[in-house]
């Protein structure tokens, strides 16, 4: 199963949709989690067919911010367990039932640093729900170490420590990434 998570920073413009479409054709993921859609759920749902997915579940944006969605291929059956403005939690299994169920959570951490402790507390709550295998992907809006942050100002250690502590609590492993080292570009 191939999973992809993308902070699209808005799916309301043609360029973002075109980039997503190209990415889907290149990677052909089984599951796609998108965050910061910044558009109404109905507009995200319309993308399901054009991107070639069999199903989707979308959480509405709050005006022109937030918004998350999960798309899946016909290769899997997906059962929604719970969701909020910052996560979608599902059980996933191959459509032919040849594999055990996997718990999959798409997660979008609080964008404001003063609110991230709420995200970490909620992640602990999700961890405490009984599960066998669990994959959690998304944009946590935090880094593990200062070397992963590119800015004029240093990242506060206390801020990263809170994230590391919740990852340890949940026994998560960083799977790394493929591509450019910094996932955003404001053309500066």
């Amino acid at each position: 199963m191939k999973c992809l998570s993308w902070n699209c920073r808005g799916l309301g413009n043609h360029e973002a949709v075109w980039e997503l479409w190209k990415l889907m054709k290149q990677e052909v993921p089984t599951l796609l989690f998108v965050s910061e859609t910044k558009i109404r759920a109905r507009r995200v749902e319309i993308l399901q067919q054009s991107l070639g997915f069999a199903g989707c579940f979308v959480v509405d944006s709050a005006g022109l911010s937030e918004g998350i969605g999960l798309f899946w291929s016909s290769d899997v059956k997906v059962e929604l367990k719970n969701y909020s403005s910052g996560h979608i939690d599902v059980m996933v299994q191959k459509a032919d039932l040849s594999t055990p169920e996997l718990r999959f959570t798409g997660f979008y951490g609080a964008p404001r640093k003063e609110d991230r402790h709420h995200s970490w507390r909620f992640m602990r709550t999700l961890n405490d729900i009984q599960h066998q295998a669990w994959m959690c992907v998304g944009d946590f809006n935090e880094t593990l170490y200062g070397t992963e942050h590119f800015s004029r100002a240093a990242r506060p250690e206390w801020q990263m420590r809170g994230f590391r502590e919740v990852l340890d609590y949940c026994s998560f492993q960083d799977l790394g990434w493929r591509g450019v080292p910094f996932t955003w570009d404001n053309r500066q």
Side-chain angles (χ1 to χ4, degrees):
M1 180 174 8
K2 192 179 219 181
C3 305
L4 191 91
S5 173
W6 188 42
N7 181 327
C8 45
R9 301 185 78 195
L11 281 176
N13 66 62
H14 178 72
E15 292 83 18
V17 173
W18 177 244
E19 285 300 315
L20 181 57
W21 187 84
K22 288 190 311 188
L23 187 61
M24 294 306 95
K25 296 304 172 202
Q26 177 182 336
E27 298 297 331
V28 193
T30 309
L31 295 170
L32 167 67
F33 176 70
V34 291
S35 57
E36 281 193 42
T37 60
K38 298 184 178 184
I39 57 175
R40 305 300 291 173
R42 183 69 192 125
R43 287 186 61 196
V44 177
E45 289 167 349
I46 290 169
L47 294 174
Q48 175 187 330
Q49 287 184 340
S50 65
L51 294 174
F53 287 101
C56 74
F57 181 80
V58 181
V59 178
D60 233 344
S61 64
L64 293 177
S65 65
E66 300 178 0
I68 56 176
L70 178 66
F71 297 87
W72 57 89
S73 75
S74 59
D75 297 337
V76 293
K77 70 176 194 97
V78 173
E79 180 186 354
L80 179 68
K81 289 301 186 181
N82 57 71
Y83 67 93
S84 71
S85 62
H87 87 289
I88 300 173
D89 195 34
V90 298
M91 296 301 291
V92 181
Q93 188 173 26
K94 276 194 165 186
D96 64 8
L97 309 178
S98 64
T99 60
E101 280 189 318
L102 165 73
R103 181 175 176 204
F104 178 91
T105 304
F107 195 87
Y108 180 62
R112 296 175 45 162
K113 66 182 173 188
E114 58 270 15
D115 294 334
R116 289 203 192 113
H117 67 282
H118 297 298
S119 293
W120 308 154
R121 185 176 63 240
F122 186 69
M123 192 178 291
R124 289 172 193 263
T125 301
L126 287 172
N127 180 74
D128 293 342
I129 298 171
Q130 185 177 359
H131 60 276
Q132 295 290 327
W134 182 25
M135 177 182 284
C136 184
V137 303
D139 182 352
F140 300 92
N141 277 312
E142 192 52 79
T143 60
L144 291 171
Y145 304 101
T147 56
E148 299 174 344
H149 180 74
F150 180 71
S151 176
R152 290 185 181 128
R155 196 79 164 180
E157 179 58 32
W158 64 266
Q159 193 173 318
M160 295 179 291
R161 187 179 324 110
F163 185 43
R164 288 192 301 265
E165 287 171 357
V166 75
L167 294 185
D168 286 343
Y169 181 87
C170 296
S171 300
F172 284 166
Q173 295 177 358
D174 184 354
L175 298 178
W177 74 94
R178 184 177 65 200
V180 296
F182 300 104
T183 57
W184 55 270
D185 177 5
N186 63 0
R187 294 188 170 85
Q188 291 185 11

